[in-house]
Amino acid sequence: MPRSPRLFPLLLLLLPPLAAGLGTRGAGGRRPECGPCSPERCPAPGRCAAPGIAARDECGCCARCLGPEGARCGGRAGARCGPGLVCASRAAGTAPEGTGLCVCAQRGAVCGSDGRSYPSVCALRLRAQHAPRAHPGHLHKARDGPCEFAPVVVLPPRSVHNVTGTQAHLSCKVRAVPAPVITWRKVTQSPEGTQVLEDLPGDHVNIAVQVQGGPSDHEARAWILIHPLRKEDEGVYQCHSANVVGEAQSHGTVTVTDLSKYQAPRFPAPGDHL
């Protein structure tokens, strides 16, 4: 049965409010509330913290900065995060309500093809946008996790001087990925004059060693304690660290003064029998 011509005028009357209810936009995909774009009325563009991720506002008219990783976002200002980032809420009371920080949607450090470690893949992408382009894809993620590197001595042991009966303490700090194995050795010489490395503590009951990770990422600290200190403990001590990439060592010297050689002579008392 053919449709009645009387229905067409009725449908035409219903279309405009129906379209408004569906949230349709005008020509070019602009929001209806935006109105005509007048660039001369846009606020003066500020300097973006990350120029590589600048964009337009919601109306597609005025230039606007997108927040880089770690930037504030949300709130009445409506600050938005750059591509690959999400606005994560901060703990209550630390920031205005409805605000947060831009964080990478993919958490975790990554190793770049340039051999550098980046806190996230978003930081790597931002670096790639600003780095000189030798060829497409010149800087990319090599693998998850930080880049591996051989141990580096951040804080070498300091030489100490003490007297017998007291104690001597040496420490060293090392950075490496993966975590290194740290050992203490005493450097001595054989009767033939060749260098000998004695692993500690060995059979020395007066020597204790300890290794602990931190306080920063990919760092480790090692200590050696000698107590009570004896004259034969004098010498050079080596802090040796190694992982699958390489090794490193640093040295500290322990100097011991024998108090027995400096004891005051005892004079006989009046009642002593000679």
Side-chain angles (χ1 to χ4, degrees):
M1 179 178 180
R3 295 180 181 178
S4 173
R6 295 179 181 179
L7 294 177
F8 288 100
L10 182 59
L11 289 174
L12 292 175
L13 291 174
L14 292 175
L15 279 176
L18 179 62
L22 292 175
T24 56
R25 300 184 180 183
R30 292 170 53 80
R31 295 185 177 181
E33 67 272 16
C34 288
C37 178
S38 301
E40 66 278 2
R41 300 179 61 182
C42 293
R47 184 176 181 181
C48 295
I53 56 175
R56 298 287 175 180
D57 60 11
E58 290 82 354
C59 294
C61 181
C62 300
R64 183 178 185 181
C65 294
L66 295 180
E69 194 169 6
R72 290 181 57 181
C73 58
R76 293 185 178 181
R80 294 181 299 164
C81 299
L85 304 175
V86 294
C87 188
S89 299
R90 289 186 279 186
T94 61
E97 185 178 358
T99 63
L101 292 177
C102 293
V103 298
C104 191
Q106 301 179 35
R107 304 293 182 89
V110 297
C111 178
S113 56
D114 57 351
R116 295 179 55 184
S117 297
Y118 294 86
S120 68
V121 69
C122 300
L124 171 64
R125 291 169 183 165
L126 183 60
R127 173 69 178 176
Q129 291 178 354
H130 296 280
R133 294 181 175 272
H135 54 80
H138 67 294
L139 181 56
H140 58 275
K141 185 180 78 170
R143 67 179 184 85
D144 292 323
C147 297
E148 294 183 347
F149 60 92
V152 177
V153 179
V154 180
L155 185 65
R158 299 177 61 180
S159 297
V160 296
H161 181 193
N162 216 333
V163 298
T164 54
T166 59
Q167 67 180 24
H169 171 265
L170 297 174
S171 66
C172 68
K173 183 191 296 185
V174 180
R175 294 188 70 247
V177 175
V181 176
I182 304 179
T183 55
W184 284 97
R185 300 169 176 172
K186 186 176 182 182
V187 182
T188 60
Q189 284 190 344
S190 67
E192 294 77 20
T194 58
Q195 179 176 283
V196 177
L197 299 176
E198 179 187 2
D199 290 332
L200 298 174
D203 296 330
H204 299 274
V205 295
N206 65 326
I207 295 180
V209 298
Q210 182 180 7
V211 179
Q212 182 179 3
S216 301
D217 292 340
H218 318 306
E219 284 187 355
R221 298 193 67 172
W223 297 269
I224 181 170
L225 176 65
I226 309 174
H227 178 74
L229 196 59
R230 304 170 301 183
K231 182 61 180 177
E232 54 265 33
D233 295 321
E234 189 173 72
V236 178
Y237 290 79
Q238 180 192 85
C239 175
H240 180 268
S241 55
N243 64 7
V244 294
V245 185
E247 59 181 337
Q249 55 270 333
S250 54
H251 302 81
T253 302
V254 175
T255 304
V256 182
T257 299
D258 189 354
L259 278 183
S260 63
K261 295 183 178 181
Y262 297 92
Q263 290 181 350
R266 181 180 179 274
F267 295 96
D272 289 348
H273 298 283
L274 299 176

